[in-house]
Amino acid sequence: MKTLTANRLDDGAVVYWDGAGWTTDISAAALLGAEADGLLQQALAAETVVVGPYLLDMSGPGTPDKRVKSRETIRANGPTVQTEFRAGFKTPVRA
Amino acid sequence: MYRYDEFDAAIVRERVAEFRDQVERRLRGELTEDQFKPLRLMNGLYLQLHAYMLRVAIPYGVLSSRQLERLARIARVYDRGYGHFTTRQNIQFNWPKLGDVPRILEELAEVEMHAIQTSGNCIRNVTADHFAAAVADEVDDPRVWSEIIRQWSTFHPEFSFLPRKFKIAVAGAPEDRAAVQVHDVGLHIRRGADGSARFVVYVGGGQGRTPFVAPAIHDDLPAEHLLSYLEAILRVYNRYGRRDNMYKARIKILVSALGIAQFRKEVDEEWAHLKDGALTVPAEEVARIRAYFAPPPFKTLPARSAAFEQAKADHKRFARWTRTNVHPHKAPGYAIVTVSLKPIGQPPGDATADQMDAAAALARAYSFDEIRVTHEQNLVLPHVEQDQLFEVWKALDAAGLATPNVGLISDIIACPGLDYCDLANARSISVAQAIAETFADLDAQEKIGELKIKISGCINACGHHHVGHIGILGVDKKGEEFYQILLGGRADERARLGEITGRGLPGEAIPDAIARVVERYLSLRLDERERFIDAFERVGAQPFEEALYASV
């Protein structure tokens, strides 16, 4: 189970493919099967909205695989310090 | 302070205009990310975990009040109200938007600042002793030579595509506060037999995955030959440094592979073509640069301030702060103030926009308009009258900038780690916070004395863990954060790499593990004058390593 993730071009925010567009909310990320590689290639071919796309292993909806847990949880939620700066990450925004 | 001449101003202005065009083309989709990435990195703009990060150069760590106020404004207007001072005496903004960066660079250029050569395989911003021109035993002002190196290295066409990045540090007093021996080139100024300033040149030091304390390649370099000799070193590195493997591309690997004797021979052969040529620094040019750094108009004051002594007697908190954050000054009646950016529980090296404004205002009122950034992630007001120290302290205290912990266990160096950095494997800041909170009691910290903890969130060692008295390296083990402890490193004139201990520990075990090491130190030190590092060098790693793993 994978999801497609990247950083948004204009502000670098972490985004996930939700099936129709990009969202900052990992819980809304589409869980991908066989179509994942094709979507990644499309995203890599045109990095005009997002940058550095890659496929992220997931163990369930909104939950990164344990092998990438610490990094991807921080990516999804924002810094664990200075939590006052995390507010922006909680609001799903379409790119 | 150095002021831009017409050439400096023009090249910075031109670069801003060029980058504005590049950003606009990127946002319009006319440049691909592959095309744009090297261009943004040449302007200090990284893409990190959550956002872009802009690294702004603070040449040799020196700022005017106006410049610090501008950094505060940038934090407030374009970022999230704070900035992070780094171990390279730079400042990083963690949240700029791509489209705003040209405007930020324009605002920086207005106060003679930029982000050029803060990334990429070039000669990076030169770092220097943060107590420059303020301590009595200084041989020569490292800012003068740092500025000369800055002018030589900025946009140096031959060295804009080196095998890897290149960092130079300069110390001008016997005590090395710039960690010169763990730089690609370290310059330590000493007095020659004829009384002139000479350079001890270290080459091939560094941290990262393969750390080295640099050997000396020259121990008596006359100052006028500094640039030709540096150019010879860079040429040898540029020719023979490995470009096939980025992990083996730093000059330290080349120096290690050749051995210092062979490397010196290569440099000497190259230098023979360059010495006494166009790169010889003319005395009048040194004098011109030196004039920018002329001493401020110090008053004639008694060495001892009655007002200062009275304030210490009357105010215990103030007296405590003076014991750690105030350092003797070369001018009678003056003192050097270190502004701690390590309040207990806060990210090391961070300052809010309001705190930057407060420090800038104090520098303007009390320190001849000058601020320094230290590689230990604090700020310095270099020239404060002792009579004014109490007023300065009150203002710092009101701004949350008077934590009395400089040099103590809570004065921790930490890189941004996994909370911000795309390269990191584990968090650094949260570990630093947990350790500081464990040792929050100021009396206990003072009792422990000087103890330098340095934390990196990955092997790249931006948090200098190899040269911490206690170093902490974050590693990733199958998605979990673990921390490797090193003991006995030091970054001063007796630089030494820390010894790696046994298995890594989970983050939550680190504060107690450090506490056990400290307890062991307190139990075995000869007396209060024997610092942790002295005790370590006397008894070795074993007792501390035993304590580290005692109850795990």
Side-chain angles (χ1 to χ4, degrees):
Chain A
M1 212 169 354
K2 294 181 187 296
T3 193
L4 181 60
T5 183
N7 289 82
R8 200 159 52 195
L9 173 64
D10 65 350
D11 63 359
V14 176
V15 290
Y16 304 89
W17 182 253
D18 69 3
W22 297 96
T23 173
T24 56
D25 181 4
I26 191 171
S27 67
L31 295 175
L32 305 171
E35 74 276 33
D37 285 336
L39 283 169
L40 174 63
Q41 292 311 316
Q42 280 179 30
L44 283 168
E47 290 182 87
T48 51
V49 178
V50 299
V51 178
Y54 63 94
L55 294 174
L56 167 61
D57 287 328
M58 303 288 278
S59 60
T63 311
D65 185 87
K66 65 179 182 183
R67 286 169 300 171
V68 291
K69 191 182 76 178
S70 49
R71 174 188 168 86
E72 291 298 339
T73 303
I74 291 170
R75 267 188 94 239
N77 297 322
T80 62
V81 295
Q82 295 161 311
T83 47
E84 65 272 30
F85 300 122
R86 292 174 62 176
F89 294 90
K90 291 177 181 165
T91 312
V93 179
R94 281 196 178 264
Chain B
M1 278 187 65
Y2 181 73
R3 299 301 309 266
Y4 277 11
D5 63 16
E6 61 194 290
F7 302 105
D8 297 309
I11 60 178
V12 172
R13 205 169 47 236
E14 285 166 13
R15 175 55 86 86
V16 173
E18 184 181 69
F19 191 56
R20 174 181 291 285
D21 177 61
Q22 290 161 347
V23 169
E24 287 170 357
R25 286 157 63 203
R26 175 68 185 114
L27 288 170
R28 286 197 303 264
E30 295 168 14
L31 288 176
T32 67
E33 186 60 17
D34 284 349
Q35 291 169 325
F36 181 65
K37 184 177 175 182
L39 302 174
R40 69 168 159 76
L41 287 175
M42 285 167 73
N43 291 283
L45 188 64
Y46 290 71
L47 181 53
Q48 293 286 32
L49 217 51
H50 314 288
Y52 290 97
M53 180 273 281
L54 180 67
R55 180 180 295 152
V56 177
I58 299 173
Y60 32 96
V62 177
L63 286 167
S64 67
S65 297
R66 181 167 168 250
Q67 290 174 320
L68 186 54
E69 284 163 351
R70 182 56 56 95
L71 296 176
R73 178 183 146 76
I74 288 166
R76 197 175 277 124
V77 174
Y78 300 102
D79 209 272
R80 295 192 178 183
Y82 72 106
H84 176 75
F85 290 98
T86 76
T87 50
R88 302 225 64 256
Q89 299 177 311
N90 292 321
I91 187 169
Q92 296 180 172
F93 294 106
N94 285 322
W95 306 96
K97 291 185 169 58
L98 178 56
D100 285 341
V101 173
R103 182 63 200 142
I104 295 173
L105 295 179
E106 223 167 71
E107 293 219 13
L108 288 170
E110 288 169 5
V111 295
E112 303 182 357
M113 296 185 79
H114 59 71
I116 296 163
Q117 290 182 208
T118 61
S119 175
N121 295 336
C122 54
I123 301 171
R124 302 285 188 89
N125 185 34
V126 180
T127 53
D129 182 357
H130 46 263
F131 286 173
V135 284
D137 60 355
E138 186 172 272
V139 177
D140 198 7
D141 186 343
R143 297 172 304 171
V144 174
W145 298 102
S146 299
E147 175 55 30
I148 288 168
I149 294 167
R150 188 195 69 80
Q151 296 193 11
W152 160 77
S153 62
T154 300
F155 294 138
H156 194 306
E158 193 176 327
F159 305 136
S160 61
F161 186 61
L162 294 167
R164 199 75 179 85
K165 58 189 167 184
F166 202 91
K167 300 173 183 177
I168 300 173
V170 189
E175 186 180 339
D176 174 12
R177 281 171 289 261
V180 302
Q181 293 176 45
V182 284
H183 281 75
D184 296 294
V185 161
L187 300 169
H188 205 157
I189 306 172
R190 68 173 193 85
R191 194 166 320 278
D194 61 354
S196 66
R198 322 282 276 200
F199 290 94
V200 179
V201 182
Y202 296 94
V203 68
Q207 301 196 54
R209 69 181 58 228
T210 317
F212 287 100
V213 171
I217 185 171
H218 202 307
D219 63 3
D220 195 33
L221 183 69
E224 68 269 25
H225 296 310
L226 176 65
L227 294 187
S228 62
Y229 197 72
L230 287 176
E231 184 121 334
I233 290 173
L234 265 298
R235 279 194 173 174
V236 171
Y237 171 51
N238 211 12
R239 188 183 311 149
Y240 297 118
R242 289 184 59 172
R243 293 172 187 271
D244 61 319
N245 181 341
M246 74 173 290
Y247 302 117
K248 296 185 176 179
R250 295 287 290 267
I251 194 173
K252 60 190 175 185
I253 305 293
L254 177 65
V255 172
S256 170
L258 290 180
I260 187 64
Q262 180 63 27
F263 187 82
R264 184 185 293 118
K265 184 168 170 285
E266 297 281 350
V267 169
D268 283 346
E269 283 174 15
E270 186 62 44
W271 194 33
H273 303 293
L274 297 167
K275 193 177 175 215
D276 299 319
L279 284 168
T280 304
V281 188
E284 55 272 25
E285 183 61 12
V286 178
R288 189 183 73 83
I289 300 289
R290 193 179 293 281
Y292 286 110
F293 301 100
F298 293 122
K299 293 178 191 168
T300 303
L301 297 171
R304 189 172 176 279
S305 157
F308 174 46
E309 297 302 328
Q310 190 60 49
K312 281 195 290 187
D314 292 345
H315 302 275
K316 276 188 173 176
R317 288 179 61 233
F318 171 64
R320 180 197 293 280
W321 174 80
T322 65
R323 290 197 292 274
T324 50
N325 296 37
V326 174
H327 191 277
H329 195 283
K330 67 178 182 183
Y334 284 81
I336 304 169
V337 169
T338 301
V339 178
S340 171
L341 297 182
K342 316 290 176 65
I344 306 299
Q346 295 299 310
D350 276 14
T352 65
D354 288 349
Q355 288 177 322
M356 290 186 232
D357 278 339
L362 286 171
R364 183 175 286 121
Y366 298 107
S367 187
F368 299 102
D369 203 30
E370 192 170 333
I371 303 105
R372 311 279 173 76
V373 181
T374 82
H375 88 268
E376 296 186 317
Q377 300 179 286
N378 291 311
L379 300 179
V380 167
L381 301 173
H383 314 296
V384 180
E385 282 180 47
Q386 290 178 21
D387 284 348
Q388 308 289 356
L389 282 170
F390 187 56
E391 291 304 313
V392 169
W393 172 76
K394 282 193 289 186
L396 289 172
D397 195 36
L401 291 170
T403 310
N405 63 348
V406 171
L408 303 183
I409 194 168
S410 63
D411 183 10
I412 298 170
I413 288 182
C415 70
L418 190 55
D419 280 302
Y420 289 97
C421 179
D422 192 41
L423 299 173
N425 293 318
R427 286 173 291 169
S428 303
I429 297 170
S430 54
V431 175
Q433 290 172 324
I435 294 169
E437 281 163 1
T438 299
F439 292 96
D441 181 86
L442 293 168
D443 290 331
Q445 287 195 47
E446 265 201 298
K447 184 180 164 203
I448 296 163
E450 183 186 296
L451 208 171
K452 294 173 186 279
I453 295 182
K454 308 189 183 198
I455 308 174
S456 305
C458 80
I459 194 71
N460 291 311
C462 297
H464 291 195
H465 64 273
H466 289 295
V467 289
H469 297 168
I470 299 176
I472 302 175
L473 165 65
V475 295
D476 178 287
K477 280 191 182 175
K478 297 178 181 171
E480 301 288 339
E481 297 161 289
F482 274 74
Y483 295 87
Q484 177 76 58
I485 310 290
L486 297 86
L487 295 169
R490 58 193 296 173
D492 58 8
E493 62 283 358
R494 293 174 55 203
R496 179 179 189 279
L497 300 175
E499 296 177 28
I500 298 168
T501 62
R503 68 190 186 282
L505 301 172
E508 60 271 20
I510 294 296
D512 284 350
I514 301 300
R516 288 193 298 275
V517 171
V518 170
E519 279 301 316
R520 182 61 57 94
Y521 154 65
L522 291 173
S523 71
L524 62 71
R525 72 180 177 187
L526 297 175
D527 57 37
E528 289 186 1
R529 286 167 302 178
E530 188 180 52
R531 301 170 303 168
F532 176 87
I533 191 65
D534 303 326
F536 179 91
E537 291 178 355
R538 178 171 58 82
V539 302
Q542 190 191 354
F544 301 106
E545 197 162 350
E546 277 171 14
L548 191 60
Y549 295 106
S551 67
V552 181

